[in-house]
């Protein structure tokens, strides 16, 4: 396939790969996924790239026998770059050691492993460009594939090129979503004909050449191998008749004939090699005498052109391996796997031993199943949920029917769910015989079913999730208190998700079960359960104390636990009207999720944080968190543009019809919390537009007719304003009084501020309440609420014909709205200001710096004193990318130091990201 000009007929493919290598040399990291059918020339293109690369080459191949060993490929990558490990952050270094199986520690999150590999590549690239060349990627373990996908999506300013090669139609493009793809197809007719006739002892006729090229679709390896096959020339009418040329079956038969022409011991050696795709020379050497073959048999197989032996054993073509393995009797294949399993045990290769042993048996085999169970435990310690799930599923197949099999099936479903494969988890549970489940296993099964339904957004599953988690808690009761408590917390969190759409139980039953769980336990979780139960069951004045105790416990949880409690922090913080504490707690949780590399939890935390900012914060910050959700989704390989927060849309001017449609879709799917938050945000927008009656009607349902726990009180002030301005003074007075009672009980300045504003609209001494509202809200993080209090007071002053004072309040309101991003209130405020005789001067909505969103975030973090490594960890990028953006920021802003940057940006504070 090589000519004087390199690979024949592959100029465009070589150009694409060269562009990736060239970008790395210019400090622009990039990646390319190369896919095609077997023998199409993918490996030749990779070899060509490696030969031409003036880079540090990190070569990693995929092996089927390692496909269920979590992070097996990552372990080899790290081993090739271990001299650069000291240059990356300690947490990432430890994560890579745990994932590689060389250190003990908590199972690492796959995204933190990905960040560690990204940092390791970046560190290696500071000396000279790095080319990570991965062949047979479709045989890599799924955890390593996830890491490669993460790295590919985050390459920015690193001297790193990542070229991944694998088979088409193997799922690689979906698994490595976001990576540019090069599809390698057959050679064009002219170069294909040249390859065929160059490899043949004599040229084929033009008609036969055209027929063979058509039949092979220009596959270079097929053309090369068939060119030397004398049987092909016996097809005298090749290409002349209407029948298709039998090349497909002929090629496999061609390889099988070549195998059969070798001596019997060589054929046995080939079967042993085919049974172990890892190509591990040590393992084959150890297994050979157990299968009655010797090392020299492998040398003879190489001489026959069927394999290469260095650096590892590789078959000439996948069809050679499949021909060898497929033509062997099943009993012989099992004997080969048995020899390899014994050899792996001798070498201490626990996972390889279990893998081969599982293929050496038929039916059930408790001993092999136990070995697989141990291998699954190793996978769990390395954070390999996907591999653990597949190992446990096979272990269950080999386990006799009964409780042990059922337990392993449930465990496999749990691992699948943890890996994000909710559909697989559901299928695994469908095979479980419920009669074999003990109560604890049954509770685990119920929990997984419910969580999978939530993950897949099954409407019935979302609505019934609260009841299902309560049912799981009942199974654990008296048997596993820890699991019982976790299920009770999950039940409450699912209740927050579905809100008014909860099915199969009631809020009162939820509260009673939470109280029961708290009464049977002690420790921090019992305090939290007690507080939540009070929130659900008790009058507000009685519940504030237990709720505060619960909140204080949650926000002091360690990283591993607080990252999973965003919904609790948000709900308890809102219930207590503690916007500052809520913000600090969510910030701690986000930091924990970033430190642990848990992007799935970070995604949830950012979403919850965005909603929280819309009640007791700023729209600017809500938009930042919403943008953070998109960035995290892209880092995980999802389409960030499909992330829609309807409440944020409503606050930021999206068409009402769009917001209504998103809300309706959420409602239909069972996500009542998303639907109600969108509806209430639309009501606020209607208030801003002076459509008071529409706002009153919309809010009346959620605040008066169907109140829900901690969310409805947040909109009492809005309801009071809408009711008062639309002539329903009795309704307004009741909402204002309810807010005042809440403020009296919780002592929150935020709550007191909005209560005073509501009272100002419904009581005689309006001015005193207006002033009290502004005084209470000044200094809180409820900035938009402060702006609204200035606005309402300014409107009252204007109507009292105190225009100069009104203009002062209205200007403050306008400035506050524009700085906080509450643009929906700007037209109303501007109109009032003009009517009051004010100038209506507005502040620019942007900061005027001309920076992109990512540049602005990096700049503010740097101004706040964060190092490049800390910023990189926070944003899931490499330090090189941070440095690249900071250099652009410094140049654009005309500064030369971080101190000057802080001065240029103003008082930096600690940015919340």
């Amino acid at each position: 396939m090589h000519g004087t000009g390199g690979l024949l007929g592959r100029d465009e493919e070589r150009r694409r790969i060269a562009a990736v290598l060239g970008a790395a040399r210019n400090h622009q990291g990039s990646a390319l996924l190369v896919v095609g059918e077997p023998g199409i020339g993918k490996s030749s293109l990779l070899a060509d790239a490696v030969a031409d690369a003036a880079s540090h080459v990190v070569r990693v191949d995929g092996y089927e026998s390692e496909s269920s060993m979590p992070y097996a490929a990552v372990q080899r990558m790290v081993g090739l770059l271990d001299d650069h490990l000291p240059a990356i952050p300690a947490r990432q270094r430890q994560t890579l050691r745990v994932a590689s199986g060389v250190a003990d520690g908590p199972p690492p999150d796959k995204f933190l492993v990905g960040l560690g590999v990204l940092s390791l590549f970046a560190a290696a690239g500071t000396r000279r460009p790095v080319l990570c060349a991965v062949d047979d990627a479709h045989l890599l373990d799924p955890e390593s594939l996830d890491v490669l996908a993460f790295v590919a999506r985050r390459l920015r300013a690193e001297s790193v090129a990542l070229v991944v090669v694998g088979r088409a139609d193997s799922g690689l493009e979906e698994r490595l979503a976001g990576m540019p793809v090069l599809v390698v197809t057959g050679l064009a007719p002219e170069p294909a004909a040249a390859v065929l006739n160059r490899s043949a002892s004599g040229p084929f006729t033009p008609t036969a050449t055209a027929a063979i090229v058509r039949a092979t679709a220009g596959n270079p390896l097929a053309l090369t191998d068939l060119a030397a096959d004398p049987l092909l020339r016996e097809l005298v009418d090749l290409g002349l008749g209407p029948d298709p040329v039998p090349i497909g079956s002929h090629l496999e038969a061609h390889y099988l004939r070549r195998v059969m022409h070798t001596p019997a011991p060589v054929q046995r050696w080939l079967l042993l090699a085919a049974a172990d795709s890892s190509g591990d020379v040590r393992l084959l050497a150890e297994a050979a005498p157990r299968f009655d073959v010797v090392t020299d048999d492998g040398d003879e197989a190489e001489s026959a052109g069927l394999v290469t032996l260095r650096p590892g054993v590789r078959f000439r073509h996948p069809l050679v391996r499949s021909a060898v393995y497929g033509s062997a009797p099943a009993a012989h294949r099992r004997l080969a796997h048995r020899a390899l399993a014994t050899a792996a045990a001798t070498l201490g290769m626990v996972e390889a031993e279990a893998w081969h042993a599982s293929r050496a048996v038929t039916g059930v085999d408790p001993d092999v199943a136990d070995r697989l169970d141990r291998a699954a435990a190793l996978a769990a310690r390395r954070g390999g949920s996907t591999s653990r799930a597949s190992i446990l599923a096979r272990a269950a197949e080999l386990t006799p029917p009964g409780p042990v099999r059922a337990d392993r099936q449930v465990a496999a479903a749990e691992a699948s769910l943890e890996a994000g494969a909710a559909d697989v988890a559901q299928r695994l549970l469908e095979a479980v015989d419920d009669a074999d489940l003990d109560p604890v296993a049954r509770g685990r099964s119920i929990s997984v079913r419910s969580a999978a339904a939530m993950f897949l957004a099954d409407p019935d599953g979302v609505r019934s999730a609260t009841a299902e988690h309560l049912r799981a808690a009942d199974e654990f009761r008296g048997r596993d208190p820890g699991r019982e408590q976790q299920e009770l917390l999950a039940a409450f969190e699912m209740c927050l998700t579905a809100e008014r759409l909860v099915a199969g139980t009631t809020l009162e039953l939820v509260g009673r079960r939470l109280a029961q769980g708290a009464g049977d336990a002690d420790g921090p979780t019992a305090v939290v359960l007690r507080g939540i139960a009070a929130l659900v069951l008790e009058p507000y004045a009685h519940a504030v104390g237990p709720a505060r105790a619960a909140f204080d416990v949650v926000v002091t949880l360690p990283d591993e636990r607080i990252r999973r409690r965003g919904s609790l922090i948000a709900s308890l913080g809102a219930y207590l009207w503690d916007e500052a504490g809520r913000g600090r707690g969510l910030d701690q949780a986000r930091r924990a999720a970033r430190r642990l590399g848990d992007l799935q939890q970070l995604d949830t935390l950012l979403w919850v944080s965005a909603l929280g900012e819309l009640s007791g914060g700023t729209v600017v910050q809500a938009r930042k968190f919403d943008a953070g959700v998109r960035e995290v989704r892209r880092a995980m390989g999802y389409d960030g543009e499909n992330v829609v927060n309807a409440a944020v849309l409503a606050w930021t001017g999206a068409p009402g019809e769009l917001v209504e449609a998103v809300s309706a879709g959420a409602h239909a799917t069972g996500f009542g919390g998303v639907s109600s938050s969108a509806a209430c945000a639309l009501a606020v927008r209607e208030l801003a537009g002076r459509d008071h009656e529409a706002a009153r009607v919309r809010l009346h349902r959620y605040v008066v007719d169907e109140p829900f726990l901690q969310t409805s009180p947040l909109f009492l002030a809005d309801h009071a304003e809408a009711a008062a301005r639309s002539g329903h003074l009795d309704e307004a007075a009741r909402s204002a009084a309810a807010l005042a009672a809440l403020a009296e009980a919780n002592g929150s300045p935020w709550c007191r501020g909005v209560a005073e504003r509501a009272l100002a609209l419904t009581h005689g001494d309006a001015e005193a309440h207006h002033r009290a509202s502004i005084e209470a809200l000044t200094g809180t993080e409820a900035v938009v609420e402060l702006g609204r209090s200035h606005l309402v007071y300014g409107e009252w002053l204007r109507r009292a014909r105190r225009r100069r004072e009104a203009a002062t309040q209205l200007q403050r309101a306008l400035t506050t709205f524009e700085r906080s991003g509450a643009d929906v209130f700007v037209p109303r405020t501007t109109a009032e200001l003009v009517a009051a005789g004010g100038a209506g001067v507005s502040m620019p909505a942007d900061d005027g710096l001309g920076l992109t969103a990512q540049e602005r975030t990096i700049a503010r973090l740097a101004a706040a004193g964060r190092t490049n490594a800390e910023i990189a960890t926070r944003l899931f990028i490499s330090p090189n990318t941070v440095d690249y953006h900071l250099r652009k920021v410094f140049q654009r802003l005309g500064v030369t130091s971080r101190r000057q940057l802080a001065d240029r940006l103003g008082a930096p504070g600690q940015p919340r990201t």
Side-chain angles (χ1 to χ4, degrees):
M1 288 176 58
H2 286 80
T4 57
L7 290 174
L8 195 60
R10 295 300 188 194
D11 292 345
E12 177 58 22
E13 291 86 348
R14 296 184 72 217
R15 185 193 65 76
R16 286 283 303 277
I17 295 174
V20 174
L21 301 179
R25 287 193 292 272
N26 291 312
H27 312 294
Q28 292 292 321
S30 59
L32 184 66
L33 171 61
V34 182
V35 296
E37 66 180 38
I40 205 68
K42 307 181 301 296
S43 296
S44 296
L45 284 166
L46 190 64
D48 182 71
V50 168
D52 291 345
S55 308
H56 180 180
V57 177
V58 178
R59 176 66 184 260
V60 180
D61 293 347
Y63 304 113
E64 185 181 2
S65 61
E66 290 186 353
S67 61
S68 60
M69 300 178 190
Y71 299 117
V74 166
Q75 180 182 18
R76 285 183 272 131
M77 286 184 232
V78 172
L80 293 169
L81 295 172
D82 59 356
D83 55 329
H84 297 282
L85 281 171
I88 72 174
R91 180 181 290 273
Q92 296 175 22
R93 186 164 60 247
Q94 176 65 8
T95 294
L96 292 182
R97 287 172 54 79
V98 172
S100 298
V102 298
D104 293 327
D109 185 274
K110 63 183 177 182
F111 295 114
L112 189 57
V113 178
L115 186 59
V117 172
L118 175 64
S119 297
L120 189 60
F121 282 167
T126 59
R127 296 185 185 175
R128 58 174 174 150
V130 171
L131 166 61
C132 180
V134 182
D135 202 359
D136 289 332
H138 53 281
L139 297 177
L140 290 185
D141 62 275
E143 287 80 11
S144 293
L145 276 176
D146 288 341
V147 165
L148 289 174
F150 179 91
V151 170
R153 290 190 294 267
R154 308 306 284 176
L155 286 173
R156 294 290 187 277
E158 300 79 18
S159 296
V160 176
L162 173 61
V163 181
V164 180
V165 171
R167 285 192 200 174
D169 302 322
S170 63
L172 271 180
E173 292 183 55
E174 292 78 13
R175 193 90 198 192
L176 301 177
M179 189 182 296
V181 179
L182 169 62
V183 179
V184 181
T185 57
L187 294 171
E190 186 175 345
V195 168
L196 175 69
N197 287 310
R198 184 180 62 187
S199 304
S201 56
F204 286 88
T205 66
T207 303
T209 296
I212 296 171
V213 167
R214 282 197 309 272
T216 59
N219 185 298
L221 187 57
L223 291 166
T224 301
D225 286 348
L226 289 173
D229 191 339
L231 290 180
L232 194 64
R233 296 181 182 274
E234 295 176 10
L235 300 173
V236 294
D237 59 346
L238 189 63
L240 298 177
D243 296 330
V245 179
I247 295 297
S249 57
H250 188 93
L251 183 58
E252 185 163 359
H254 162 80
Y255 288 130
L256 187 56
R257 281 197 304 275
R258 290 176 60 177
V259 170
M260 294 305 179
H261 283 143
T262 62
V266 175
Q267 294 179 38
R268 286 181 62 81
W269 185 93
L270 284 167
L271 175 57
L272 189 70
D276 177 60
S277 68
S278 72
D280 190 315
V281 176
R282 287 189 313 140
L283 180 60
L284 285 173
E286 185 70 34
R290 295 175 171 82
F291 200 56
D292 295 331
V293 295
V294 296
T295 304
D296 289 348
D297 295 326
D299 294 333
E300 193 166 341
E302 184 176 40
S303 298
L306 297 169
V307 297
T308 58
L309 298 179
R310 294 168 188 81
V313 178
R314 293 178 65 86
F315 282 87
R316 173 172 177 79
H317 188 283
L319 283 178
V320 178
R321 180 172 179 248
S322 64
V324 170
Y325 195 79
S327 64
H332 291 186
R333 293 199 296 264
R334 289 194 294 273
L335 288 172
H337 283 297
R338 189 169 300 155
L340 288 162
T342 305
T346 302
L347 295 173
M349 301 166 67
V350 177
E351 291 157 306
E353 177 205 357
W355 190 88
H356 284 295
S358 71
R359 283 151 181 78
V361 297
T362 58
V364 298
D365 190 313
D367 178 64
V368 174
D370 288 344
R371 278 187 268 173
L372 285 171
D373 201 54
R374 289 192 291 273
L378 287 176
R381 286 205 291 272
R382 292 167 65 174
S385 299
T386 303
S387 296
R388 178 170 175 263
S390 64
I391 294 170
L392 284 170
R394 177 58 176 156
E397 291 173 1
L398 297 177
T399 305
V404 176
R405 170 186 272 190
D407 188 81
R408 284 172 175 165
Q409 289 171 319
V410 172
E414 288 172 328
S416 297
L417 183 66
E418 185 178 339
D423 54 337
V424 175
Q426 286 186 329
R427 287 200 299 273
L428 286 167
L429 290 177
E430 288 171 0
V432 176
D433 186 345
D434 288 347
D436 291 332
L437 295 173
D438 61 32
V440 171
R442 188 177 303 112
R444 290 163 53 207
S445 174
I446 294 168
S447 180
V448 172
R449 285 182 194 276
S450 180
M454 282 290 300
F455 191 94
L456 297 170
D458 171 61
D460 291 336
V462 175
R463 288 188 284 263
S464 64
T466 299
E468 289 299 290
H469 283 292
L470 289 181
R471 196 159 68 91
D474 289 341
E475 297 288 350
F476 296 135
R477 183 167 170 73
R479 301 178 181 91
D480 192 330
R483 288 184 187 273
E484 179 190 10
Q485 292 177 6
Q486 294 308 309
E487 288 303 309
L488 291 173
L489 290 176
F492 177 71
E493 289 172 333
M494 294 306 99
C495 186
L496 299 176
T497 298
E499 284 195 0
R500 298 159 182 86
L501 302 180
V502 166
T505 188
T506 65
L507 280 178
E508 184 179 359
L509 289 175
V510 172
R512 288 179 180 175
R513 189 62 181 86
L514 291 168
Q516 183 184 48
D520 293 342
D522 52 21
T525 306
V527 174
V528 175
L529 290 173
R530 195 173 298 117
I532 301 171
L535 182 157
V536 175
L537 297 175
E538 299 293 332
Y540 189 83
H542 295 166
V544 165
R548 170 57 68 181
F551 183 76
D552 292 343
V553 167
V554 174
V555 296
T556 56
L557 290 173
D559 281 5
E560 174 62 31
R561 296 176 62 190
I562 195 173
R563 62 174 168 149
R564 303 180 186 276
R565 295 298 171 225
S567 295
L568 274 182
I569 294 169
S571 59
L572 286 168
Y575 184 76
L576 297 166
W577 291 75
D578 183 358
E579 88 290 352
R582 178 186 64 186
R584 288 192 297 270
L586 288 172
D587 183 57
Q588 289 172 245
R590 292 192 303 272
R591 290 171 185 270
R594 285 192 176 93
R595 279 193 290 267
L596 295 171
D598 192 341
L599 293 193
Q600 291 177 331
Q601 289 299 326
L602 182 59
D603 174 271
T604 300
L605 287 162
L606 288 167
W607 182 282
V608 169
S609 298
L611 280 181
E613 285 293 324
L614 298 178
S615 296
T618 69
V619 183
V620 166
Q621 196 63 45
R623 294 184 75 162
K624 288 180 181 178
F625 288 134
D626 192 49
V629 173
R630 285 173 162 74
E631 183 64 23
V632 167
R633 291 283 174 94
R634 282 190 285 267
M636 290 192 293
Y638 304 129
D639 183 358
E641 298 309 312
N642 287 334
V643 180
V644 179
N645 188 318
V648 173
L649 286 179
W651 271 92
T652 52
E657 296 80 6
L658 173 61
V659 181
E660 294 275 16
V662 175
S663 176
H667 188 277
T669 317
F671 289 91
V674 175
S675 178
S676 65
S677 66
C680 291
L682 278 176
V684 173
R685 196 163 89 178
E686 288 164 343
L687 270 179
R690 292 194 174 95
D691 193 351
H692 301 119
E693 179 59 21
R696 185 195 72 82
V697 171
R698 194 186 295 272
L699 288 168
H700 199 275
R701 173 189 172 189
Y702 293 100
V703 175
V704 179
D705 292 340
E706 303 175 40
F708 182 82
L709 299 180
Q710 81 288 343
T711 58
S712 292
L714 297 177
F715 300 96
L716 279 169
D718 299 323
H719 179 257
E721 181 178 348
R725 292 284 170 83
S726 60
H728 298 81
L729 294 179
D730 288 345
E731 282 186 25
R734 284 193 293 272
S735 289
L739 262 178
L742 295 178
E744 186 66 28
N746 60 40
S748 160
W750 169 26
C751 188
R752 171 60 62 190
V754 295
E756 291 289 350
R757 187 171 76 232
L759 290 169
L761 294 168
T762 59
H763 284 68
D765 192 6
E767 185 159 18
H769 289 302
H770 282 306
R771 290 181 178 276
S773 175
I774 291 170
E775 181 181 359
L777 289 168
T778 299
T780 71
E781 294 186 14
V783 177
V784 174
E785 296 295 352
L786 175 60
R788 292 181 65 182
S789 291
H790 281 300
L791 169 60
V792 173
Y793 184 27
E795 291 173 331
W796 183 86
L797 287 168
R798 187 180 71 79
R799 284 158 180 75
R801 300 184 182 280
R802 295 159 60 180
R803 292 191 173 186
R804 179 169 296 183
E805 294 172 85
T808 299
Q809 294 297 325
L810 293 168
Q811 184 63 62
R812 288 172 182 169
L814 184 62
T815 300
T816 301
F817 290 144
E818 292 183 327
R819 285 179 172 170
S820 64
D823 297 341
V824 294
F825 282 98
V826 169
R828 170 178 159 186
T829 309
T830 302
E832 286 286 337
L833 188 56
V834 170
V841 177
S842 66
M843 299 292 292
D846 191 9
D847 53 18
L849 300 176
L851 303 178
T852 66
Q854 187 170 45
E855 288 169 349
R856 188 159 46 248
T857 299
I858 290 172
R860 293 196 180 281
L861 287 168
R866 298 287 181 183
T867 65
N868 283 12
E870 289 171 335
I871 297 170
T873 299
R874 174 181 287 265
L875 300 182
F876 287 90
I877 55 180
S878 80
N880 304 63
T881 298
V882 175
D883 181 68
Y884 169 75
H885 284 300
L886 274 180
R887 282 188 277 110
K888 290 175 62 179
V889 168
F890 277 35
Q891 182 178 18
R892 187 166 296 155
L893 301 186
V895 299
T896 57
S897 70
R898 295 189 182 217
R899 182 182 296 276
Q900 291 177 354
L901 178 62
D903 293 339
R904 182 73 172 83
L905 296 177
Q910 178 56 55
R912 292 181 292 167
T913 61

